[in-house]
Amino acid sequence: MTHPLEVEQRTRKYPFVNMRISDHSILDTIEGRHNCKSCNRSRKFFCYSCYIPVGELEDQDVLPRLELPLKIDIIKHKKEIDGKSSAVHAAVLAPEHVRIYTFPEIPDYREEPGVVLIFPSATSLTVPQLFERNVQLQIGDNYGLPKGHHMGTMLRRRMDEVEIQDPHSKDQEPSEKKTWTLDNLPIRRAVFIDSTWNQSRGIYADERIRSLRTVVLQNRLSQFWRHQRGSPRWYLATIEAIHQFLLEVHINAWGLNREYRGLDNLEITEGFHQLAEPLKSVAPIEDVGRESPYNGQYDNLLFFFANMYDLIHKYYDHNDLISYRRPI
């Protein structure tokens, strides 16, 4: 009997096929639950209260461990169900760089430099703008959303940025491009709100984060199997949004390896490739250095996410899942 997932991979674009995600088949072999060594609660793969793996996954050689170029803070609403949040994946897989807070117990970011909030607002910047790219965000026509959709349903279907050319620079020598390192990135910490849109508005109103510069991500279609009612397909799960943000930061700082094909099936808009200038860097396919062109350095953030995607699609036909029949 043919596995449903094998059929999917032959008949449609399997989103993770070319990404550098470690083999997660070990998750399919784990039976039962295990007690968290910190809080003693019964968990399956990891404790979503303590953000540590449990049972067979406690061995550090089993799970991938990521080093990120900046710090990630996740602020979740107290009514969000911890066990259903994909944000926990980031804290488990990149524990030295990811923190999770439950609102209203959050840091005061007003005096900390280099902090941005990933949140759509009328003044949101794009990642290329943070890297001093000469890009203007076109925010007319409700961010490109259909009538009736609020801009808070995250990203537009298409990116409408245009690169502004100085009419007097035609005969001038191009300015020297800045060299970015882990020490001089324009962002030191990114804050994500993990909640429904209605809940996130209350969190955003808090004066401790409202003064932060807000950043809007490039569009890509979500592969999440759960969704908020009425939200479009580009409303990403939190772990997808974190991966997308880091992808954009890395490519704008250090380029994209020409041989890396992990973006092919992510359904990212053409505007992403245009603004990120991904084809200007070349590196050996085995090069995954922290300051080398993007070659899947953060793909393992989707380790648990991809496994759950496979599990869902093993038992359900892709076209029968309501989350994939949302408007796009």
Side-chain angles (χ1 to χ4, degrees), residues 68-73 96-99 109 112-118 130-131 180-192 212-213 215 245-246 249 253-254 290-291:
L68 308 183
L70 46 84
K71 301 293 185 180
I72 300 290
D73 281 8
E96 296 179 359
H97 295 86
V98 179
R99 306 182 301 186
Y109 297 104
E112 183 178 349
V115 183
V116 297
L117 176 67
I118 310 305
L130 295 176
F131 280 86
W180 298 101
T181 69
L182 290 168
D183 295 326
N184 71 355
L185 289 177
I187 319 105
R188 307 305 302 168
R189 186 183 306 276
V191 180
F192 291 78
L212 294 176
R213 289 185 299 172
V215 173
F245 173 72
L246 292 172
V249 167
W254 301 297
R290 297 187 70 191
E291 295 182 8

Side-chain angles (χ1 to χ4, degrees), residues 10-142:
R10 291 199 303 265
T11 59
R12 62 181 300 278
K13 293 181 178 180
Y14 178 65
F16 314 115
V17 65
N18 292 317
M19 300 183 75
R20 299 179 81 112
I21 301 176
S22 299
D23 181 10
H24 46 73
S25 60
I26 185 176
L27 301 180
D28 301 325
T29 68
I30 295 177
E31 298 180 358
R33 300 166 69 86
H34 304 271
N35 290 342
C36 171
K37 62 182 180 181
S38 179
C39 68
N40 206 38
R41 293 186 178 98
S42 177
R43 303 297 192 221
K44 179 69 172 179
F45 299 138
F46 50 80
C47 180
Y48 44 77
S49 302
C50 304
Y51 317 128
I52 57 176
V54 299
E56 299 172 45
L57 300 183
E58 290 183 38
D59 187 337
Q60 293 187 2
D61 294 330
V62 175
L63 291 180
R65 193 179 184 94
L66 287 85
E67 293 188 43
L68 308 183
L70 46 84
K71 301 293 185 180
I72 300 290
D73 281 8
I74 301 165
I75 300 175
K76 66 184 185 70
H77 194 275
K78 60 183 178 181
K79 291 185 178 180
E80 283 292 294
I81 301 175
D82 292 340
K84 292 186 176 181
S85 174
S86 66
V88 180
H89 302 177
V92 174
L93 296 168
E96 296 179 359
H97 295 86
V98 179
R99 306 182 301 186
I100 298 181
Y101 299 94
T102 301
F103 187 80
E105 302 299 323
I106 65 172
D108 190 337
Y109 297 104
R110 286 174 290 188
E111 301 301 323
E112 183 178 349
V115 183
V116 297
L117 176 67
I118 310 305
F119 191 84
S121 74
T123 58
S124 288
L125 302 173
T126 64
V127 173
Q129 286 176 309
L130 295 176
F131 280 86
E132 303 173 7
R133 296 279 306 284
N134 203 14
V135 174
Q136 182 181 30
L137 180 62
Q138 303 296 321
I139 60 174
D141 192 27
N142 194 32

Side-chain angles (χ1 to χ4, degrees), residues 157-192:
R157 182 176 181 180
R158 293 187 179 278
M159 294 300 290
D160 296 318
E161 292 87 356
V162 293
E163 196 160 352
I164 305 170
Q165 299 295 333
D166 183 349
H168 304 293
S169 64
K170 184 175 181 180
D171 299 324
Q172 298 176 1
E173 291 292 329
S175 58
E176 184 177 348
K177 189 174 182 180
K178 185 169 183 177
T179 299
W180 298 101
T181 69
L182 290 168
D183 295 326
N184 71 355
L185 289 177
I187 319 105
R188 307 305 302 168
R189 186 183 306 276
V191 180
F192 291 78

